[in-house]
Amino acid sequence: MTEEEARKLKYDPATVELQTTEAMYRNDNHTGLRRVLTYGTFDLLHYGHIRLLQRAAALGDYLIVALSTDEFNAGKGKRSFYPYSVRKEMLEALRYVDLVIPENTWEQKRNDVLEYNVDVVCMGGDWKGSPRFEEPLRGLCDLVYLDRTDGISTTAVKKSLAGNKATTPGSVASGAAR
């Protein structure tokens, strides 16, 4: 449609496209897709992250990643190597990820499930039994815990790069801390 045709119909094609895109994943227009949500910092993106996202995406049709903001990480005593905007850009470039939203607080999970009409929340197996997930989400959606990829973690990569361990890929994979 040309800009002239759009003016005659009194709508902006860019605005309509944005509204349509948002309606695809917001609660007001559920399309029947099985929506999966996961949370994380995803700093120093590595093959363990990729495998987690691949397995999470396989649980449904639409994967939403709630990415911890720099401010939220600071409140947890964590500092990312890459800022939120860069981590978000990297996640958005992955074929498994359909949408990246900010994770600003521990308490937002219930609202995220309701707002984005989520069917499944999945997390690493180390979160199993955590009241941060189980209590607010009980009865709202399925909870799935995925095992971490053996031999890799952001902590191990950071230690390796800092010189605490040899920096070969095998050394990171051989005894990674979580």
Side-chain angles (χ1 to χ4, degrees), residues 27-48:
N27 195 18
D28 58 347
N29 188 21
H30 193 258
T31 60
L33 298 176
R34 184 166 167 84
R35 297 157 194 236
V36 179
L37 172 62
T38 192
Y39 291 83
T41 299
F42 298 96
D43 193 26
L44 297 180
L45 194 64
H46 55 70
Y47 68 88

Side-chain angles (χ1 to χ4, degrees), residues 1 11 21 34 48 67 81 84 87 92 102 112 122 148 160 164:
M1 177 175 290
Y11 79 90
T21 302
R34 184 166 167 84
L67 179 63
F81 181 82
Y84 175 84
R87 292 181 287 120
E92 289 173 336
D112 290 345
C122 70
R148 289 180 174 260
S160 179
N164 294 341

Side-chain angles (χ1 to χ4, degrees), residues 10 17 42 54 56 59 66 68 71 92 105 113 117 138 149 154-155 158-159 171-172 174 176-177:
K10 296 185 180 185
E17 184 177 322
F42 298 96
Q54 182 181 31
L59 295 172
S68 299
E71 297 78 13
E92 289 173 336
T105 69
V113 167
N117 211 6
R138 189 173 292 124
T149 301
T154 301
T155 301
K158 286 180 178 179
K159 284 181 181 178
S171 67
V172 172
S174 66

Side-chain angles (χ1 to χ4, degrees), residues 12 17 34 45 55 58 78 89 107:
D12 179 351
E17 184 177 322
R34 184 166 167 84
L45 194 64
R55 289 182 292 158
K78 294 173 67 177
E89 181 180 350
E107 296 78 22

Side-chain angles (χ1 to χ4, degrees), residues 11-24:
Y11 79 90
D12 179 351
T15 303
V16 171
E17 184 177 322
L18 176 62
Q19 289 170 347
T20 302
T21 302
E22 287 189 8
M24 287 173 57

Side-chain angles (χ1 to χ4, degrees), residues 71-109:
E71 297 78 13
F72 183 48
N73 280 337
K76 296 186 287 184
K78 294 173 67 177
R79 184 171 175 257
S80 297
F81 181 82
Y82 290 112
Y84 175 84
S85 61
V86 172
R87 292 181 287 120
K88 182 176 188 277
E89 181 180 350
M90 288 191 291
L91 287 171
E92 289 173 336
L94 300 175
R95 68 179 176 179
Y96 306 112
V97 177
D98 295 294
L99 178 66
V100 179
I101 62 172
E103 179 186 22
N104 297 302
T105 69
W106 289 112
E107 296 78 22
Q108 77 182 60
K109 289 162 184 56

